[in-house]
Amino acid sequence: MFSALKSDLLGRIQNSVALLTLVRGAHKKAGGSKTYMQDSPGKRLGPKKHEGEKVSVGQIIMRQRGTKWYPGSNVGIGKDHTLFAMEPGYVRYYLDPFHPKRKFIGIALGKDERLPYEHFDATHRRLGRTVLENPVAAKREEEYMSRKESLALPEILKEKGIRDQRRAAKIALLAKRLPEFIPELDDESVSLAAERLGAIDGFLRGGKSLEDARFYATYNYNYDLKLRLDATKEVTPEISEELKKKYAELVNIVDSRVMFDAKFNLCKNLTDEEREQKKQENVAALKELIPDANIPVDKKVKIQAWGLIEDTCFSLSERLHLKRRFLKPVLPESAELLGDEKTKNTVAISRMNYDTRRVETVYRLKKGFLGQRVN
Amino acid sequence: MSSVSKGIWSNFARRSQSLALRNRNLQKALLSPTLPHGPVSLKKRSSKDKYQSPIGMDEIYPLAYQYLESQSEKTYKKIEEIEKQLEEVADSTTKSQLKDRKTQLEVDAEVNNPEIIYNSLFGTNSIDRTQPVYRHYLEKQWKDYGRMLIMQRLETLAVIPDTLATLDPQVDVRLKFPGNNIERWIEPGDILSSNATCRPPSLEVIEFKESKNDLYTVLIVDPDTPDVENDSFSTTLHWGLKNVALSNEDGVIDAKKLVGNPEYEFVSYLPPTPEKNTGNHRIAVWVFRQAEGKKVDEGAVERGSFDIRKFAEENELTAVGAHLWRSVWDRNTENVRKMYGLGRGRIFSRDRN
């Protein structure tokens, strides 16, 4: 029975083999295993420098695939994850508690130093530079400019030259105008006072108050004098004391006589009380001059009002407020300020009337506008 | 025009005048139940005429204001109770606890007041820092930006741990150089020219806790001074101030204060004058609060190889704030060195070896 079964099975297999041979195609499939012919030479990975070994800058410490080891202190990593030394020192293989899953390779700067360094310690750094003792080399190095600097320098020097010129011109102008306010000053004092006023002007333009500007002008002078006495020993203590005293006297005179107004023009000094009083007087005068700002005034009054508003007692914002209060750029459109037709005294204004849905032309008298500033 | 405020927020008998809005027009607008001509920020007549409040706003606003005001009134009652308790209590720990509670309640009572909110948002320069509520808002603003910024700069530039180990900032420190024409607050980490830093800076220390007469120490150090002998770097002390009395009202340390109190300065100002090829020097400004009632009495302090950690430990100083700028050799550095009689600076090799 078994042999009969066997012969039957064999016969079936033979039949199926015969069938398979029938469907063979024109091309023969390349045979072989999936991993056949896939070997490559070894890449010589692994440590190139070991624990405690001395290295210099750029030496390779580890070749690896991926970051099996991470770069620690003073070690860099290449694009193929090669670790290399960035400082000369001693190789350390270590673990860092801040990154418990990583292994590190670092360079300790000293032979006996351990890594990682204490977390709150100042970083261990190497200067790595020498002082150039050769005067020629030192000079050459000092004068060396990067391309960026050498390109920018001419422009910077040009601008500085212009600034210096402007400053000198400003001080010369101040020195010229100062005798108008303080005639009794001698030439030396005038030039010193002009320097001081120039400094104050700069501080004011930078946003300091007049009081602060005066304080810092004095402070800087005394500070420089102290440096000349203590640091550079250019002046003796007696001369320094004398200069200081002289300057203090000059400050007293200059500050009590001149100041700068809101537009940085030199003018007569006003004490706080004088200033307040002058402000009140001017506002009272303006009220008298222009009782109702909505009624047009003639040119003469306008000029007078401008004069009162631009008095030295007012700051820039106060001037602006007063101008808005007394000299309105456009007066309200009252019946007296409307004209009937186009004349040389009227201005034609086209305006949409939303009720009639038509553009209307309104003729307004020119005196209803403040107009351009004249005086 | 009528005011929505009918209670404590318009009563300045026991509340400070600084809790009100100074601008009358703004105050009127903020306290009026409706805005017939729109917000005061509208300048043009046509915009004012066209303005319409959002639907329901005119009904809701007074209601909300009065609710918040009544809550504030209740808080003020609690404050009164605490004040009574404070008079009776003698124990110092309970007393300080009660004081803390009182400060917290003082903040709670005013924190929703529209006038306070306006002042804290738009009037931060002229704010009254003696009021706990304003300090609360200032602290919030500082924590949102200033504190994060200074910590980021200190960490990325490794000022911590190169000078002190770490910092838990408690005060806002602002710095400028008023000896120059242009006055501006320096952003932490800015690279400044040798000309800009050639005269001493002025500082503002903004405390957020109540501070009446705390003493402060200020140290300016440069941890990047080259130390050729050891082929490393050392720290130089550039400026030292001690026992500087500051308070909530006046937190400024400037030339005016120092001229009046020359005893504050124990090491005179030395401007940073980095030598060529030594890179950017980090100039760290450290503000320390001194232990209560303890004065720093430091004799002669060496500028060079200054150990800031040892100094802070010896004098029981707590670092509460910091600032920093960076300096680098430039074409003017030699002039500054000459001005201070320092002699010519060394020139270092351009390449590291």
Side-chain angles (χ1 to χ4, degrees):
Chain A
M1 196 188 105
F2 182 71
S3 61
L5 190 67
K6 194 178 168 187
S7 66
D8 178 49
L9 206 64
L10 266 175
R12 280 175 196 224
I13 289 168
Q14 272 163 3
N15 281 343
S16 66
V17 168
L19 264 172
L20 273 177
T21 49
L22 277 175
V23 290
R24 273 180 66 171
H27 300 284
K28 186 173 179 180
K29 186 174 173 264
S33 156
K34 180 164 75 84
T35 53
Y36 179 64
M37 293 280 280
Q38 278 198 2
D39 205 359
S40 73
K43 294 297 174 206
R44 280 72 172 162
L45 301 177
K48 305 295 165 214
K49 296 284 169 197
H50 294 90
E51 170 73 24
E53 217 169 316
K54 198 171 177 192
V55 287
S56 47
V57 176
Q59 283 191 342
I60 289 168
I61 304 166
M62 174 69 84
R63 286 217 181 266
Q64 56 182 347
R65 291 287 164 265
T67 45
K68 289 193 174 72
W69 292 88
Y70 280 84
S73 38
N74 301 322
V75 167
I77 185 164
K79 71 167 184 181
D80 62 350
H81 306 111
T82 297
L83 303 184
F84 57 91
M86 299 218 291
E87 291 284 346
Y90 301 88
V91 175
R92 293 270 176 267
Y93 288 68
Y94 66 98
L95 298 172
D96 185 348
F98 276 89
H99 304 277
K101 289 183 179 172
R102 293 179 174 194
K103 298 177 290 182
F104 289 89
I105 300 175
I107 304 289
L109 297 177
K111 197 169 171 72
D112 306 321
E113 285 175 15
R114 300 271 128 209
L115 292 181
Y117 288 122
E118 227 14 78
H119 182 65
F120 285 121
D121 267 5
T123 40
H124 293 239
R125 289 177 293 158
R126 195 179 68 93
L127 175 62
R129 289 174 204 274
T130 47
V131 180
L132 298 181
E133 302 290 358
N134 180 353
V136 179
K139 187 146 175 51
R140 200 190 311 126
E141 181 54 41
E142 189 176 6
E143 282 167 4
Y144 166 79
M145 272 185 250
S146 66
R147 185 180 145 78
K148 195 176 166 186
E149 191 186 353
S150 63
L151 285 177
L153 196 65
E155 189 63 25
I156 292 171
L157 288 178
K158 198 177 128 200
E159 278 171 15
K160 186 175 181 297
I162 295 171
R163 270 205 311 277
D164 287 348
Q165 258 180 13
R166 237 187 260 150
R167 189 167 300 145
K170 188 167 82 180
I171 287 171
L173 186 71
L174 285 169
K176 206 175 126 194
R177 287 208 55 203
L178 206 53
E180 289 175 27
F181 300 92
I182 319 169
E184 72 269 21
L185 282 184
D186 57 14
D187 285 354
E188 197 189 331
S189 303
V190 164
S191 67
L192 192 59
E195 293 258 336
R196 175 183 171 76
L197 290 173
I200 291 176
D201 175 276
F203 285 138
L204 288 174
R205 283 171 201 266
K208 284 193 183 73
S209 66
L210 183 65
E211 192 203 341
D212 278 1
R214 281 172 173 170
F215 171 82
Y216 277 105
T218 315
Y219 176 78
N220 281 359
Y221 181 85
N222 288 335
Y223 190 84
D224 290 349
L225 200 60
K226 194 158 174 286
L227 285 182
R228 279 167 68 197
L229 172 69
D230 294 344
T232 58
K233 313 250 186 307
E234 277 172 43
V235 290
T236 58
E238 297 83 49
I239 294 176
S240 158
E241 204 51 47
E242 196 187 318
L243 281 173
K244 203 173 168 183
K245 221 173 114 190
K246 226 170 143 187
Y247 191 72
E249 280 165 16
L250 186 73
V251 166
N252 267 340
I253 297 170
V254 172
D255 286 0
S256 61
R257 305 279 274 280
V258 288
M259 65 166 195
F260 287 96
D261 69 1
K263 294 264 172 139
F264 311 114
N265 295 315
L266 203 62
C267 63
K268 191 176 160 290
N269 183 52
L270 294 171
T271 60
D272 288 347
E273 297 90 64
E274 282 172 348
R275 188 190 293 261
E276 277 311 310
Q277 203 191 339
K278 196 110 189 269
K279 274 183 194 173
Q280 283 171 13
E281 281 172 17
N282 281 14
V283 172
L286 275 166
K287 273 184 189 163
E288 203 178 314
L289 207 60
I290 308 173
D292 187 352
N294 291 339
I295 294 168
V297 289
D298 63 7
K299 214 170 172 182
K300 226 172 165 184
V301 176
K302 269 184 208 168
I303 291 169
Q304 246 178 318
W306 272 120
L308 287 169
I309 289 173
E310 300 201 336
D311 199 43
T312 53
C313 61
F314 293 117
S315 69
L316 216 53
S317 67
E318 283 165 341
R319 287 182 184 187
L320 197 71
H321 280 121
L322 287 175
K323 196 190 147 230
R324 285 196 185 138
R325 190 169 149 197
F326 290 104
L327 293 173
K328 296 191 171 182
V330 182
L331 295 186
E333 214 177 82
S334 57
E336 307 92 73
L337 293 175
L338 287 176
D340 302 326
E341 57 190 354
K342 193 177 177 190
T343 62
K344 68 170 186 180
N345 289 327
T346 58
V347 183
I349 294 165
S350 302
R351 183 192 296 158
M352 180 73 181
N353 187 336
Y354 289 96
D355 298 330
T356 57
R357 303 186 69 199
R358 289 283 179 277
V359 174
E360 288 175 352
T361 306
V362 180
Y363 297 99
R364 297 201 56 181
L365 295 182
K366 276 186 182 167
K367 63 180 180 181
F369 300 95
L370 182 63
Q372 287 217 323
R373 171 88 192 277
V374 275
N375 58 344
Chain B
M1 195 187 281
S2 64
S3 163
V4 283
S5 179
K6 300 197 170 29
I8 188 89
W9 282 349
S10 54
N11 177 6
F12 293 97
R14 58 174 299 234
R15 290 165 71 246
S16 163
Q17 203 68 43
S18 63
L19 296 172
L21 242 176
R22 211 173 296 156
N23 186 328
R24 293 287 143 210
N25 286 338
L26 278 172
Q27 195 189 34
K28 224 161 99 184
L30 208 60
L31 296 181
S32 74
T34 55
L35 282 176
H37 304 298
V40 255
S41 55
L42 296 183
K43 289 282 178 272
K44 269 162 65 185
R45 166 66 67 82
S46 59
S47 320
K48 284 181 186 174
D49 289 347
K50 263 189 269 174
Y51 177 79
Q52 282 183 334
S53 288
I55 296 168
M57 183 62 98
D58 294 351
E59 291 80 48
I60 286 293
Y61 182 69
L63 211 63
Y65 188 97
Q66 275 145 22
Y67 174 75
L68 292 172
E69 200 176 28
S70 66
Q71 294 290 311
S72 166
E73 233 151 293
K74 280 179 201 163
T75 318
Y76 270 109
K77 291 230 170 71
K78 279 188 206 161
I79 294 172
E80 272 170 31
E81 279 168 27
I82 286 183
E83 275 170 354
K84 268 181 213 159
Q85 284 177 27
L86 267 172
E87 281 169 20
E88 291 157 12
V89 169
D91 179 31
S92 64
T93 45
T94 338
K95 215 165 187 172
S96 72
Q97 273 174 4
L98 279 174
K99 267 186 185 164
D100 287 348
R101 175 90 186 112
K102 193 189 153 198
T103 314
Q104 184 54 46
L105 285 174
E106 276 170 344
V107 173
D108 292 345
E110 295 289 344
V111 79
N112 290 321
N113 185 346
E115 289 177 78
I116 301 281
I117 295 172
Y118 187 94
N119 276 340
S120 333
L121 284 178
F122 304 110
T124 39
N125 283 335
S126 54
I127 229 167
D128 176 12
R129 286 190 214 131
T130 53
Q131 296 299 322
V133 64
Y134 285 133
R135 289 206 301 271
H136 163 82
Y137 272 111
L138 278 179
E139 184 173 16
K140 209 171 139 210
Q141 278 170 16
W142 171 66
K143 279 187 173 167
D144 277 351
Y145 185 71
R147 190 171 72 159
M148 286 196 269
L149 184 82
I150 184 68
M151 280 315 280
Q152 187 253 339
R153 298 294 150 93
L154 291 177
E155 279 170 8
T156 52
L157 294 170
V159 171
I160 51 179
D162 278 4
T163 48
L164 289 184
T166 187
L167 171 69
D168 174 21
Q170 292 165 40
V171 298
D172 188 7
V173 180
R174 308 209 288 163
L175 176 106
K176 65 178 168 187
F177 286 89
N180 303 326
N181 279 357
I182 291 170
E183 269 202 339
R184 71 174 177 95
W185 295 109
I186 305 296
E187 191 184 312
D190 268 3
I191 297 179
L192 302 179
S193 72
S194 59
N195 187 36
T197 58
C198 72
R199 282 175 233 277
S202 79
L203 295 152
E204 188 170 11
V205 178
I206 301 172
E207 269 284 8
F208 303 111
K209 69 166 187 78
E210 189 179 14
S211 159
K212 288 209 172 115
N213 242 335
D214 285 330
L215 296 182
Y216 294 82
T217 292
V218 178
L219 299 175
I220 297 189
V221 292
D222 171 12
D224 296 323
T225 316
D227 179 1
V228 181
E229 262 174 48
N230 301 321
D231 195 18
S232 183
F233 296 86
S234 67
T235 301
T236 307
L237 178 62
H238 279 266
W239 207 26
L241 305 175
K242 62 175 184 180
N243 306 330
V244 185
L246 300 176
S247 62
N248 288 135
E249 295 105 78
D250 181 17
V252 178
I253 308 172
D254 62 356
K256 274 184 192 166
K257 199 171 260 183
L258 294 177
V259 165
N261 304 283
E263 72 278 7
Y264 284 169
E265 193 175 78
F266 69 96
V267 174
S268 65
Y269 180 72
L270 177 79
T273 49
E275 288 155 316
K276 185 150 192 188
N277 291 333
T278 54
N280 289 341
H281 287 226
R282 301 159 292 169
I283 313 294
V285 181
W286 283 99
V287 177
F288 301 90
R289 199 186 285 139
Q290 292 171 209
E292 207 163 306
K294 191 172 182 303
K295 289 208 164 187
V296 172
D297 192 19
E298 195 62 31
V301 180
E302 279 287 309
R303 270 188 204 280
S305 303
F306 178 69
D307 190 344
I308 186 171
R309 295 190 189 199
K310 203 172 125 204
F311 184 90
E313 201 181 321
E314 277 173 2
N315 294 293
E316 294 175 44
L317 303 172
T318 324
V320 286
H323 203 288
L324 83 142
W325 79 85
R326 285 181 289 168
S327 286
V328 66
W329 183 92
D330 58 34
R331 301 271 155 206
N332 186 50
T333 305
E334 284 307 320
N335 299 342
V336 179
R337 290 186 80 95
K338 212 169 145 193
M339 192 174 147
Y340 280 79
L342 296 173
R344 287 189 74 80
R346 296 168 292 180
I347 310 289
F348 283 80
S349 57
R350 201 184 316 157
D351 300 316
R352 290 189 82 224
N353 44 39

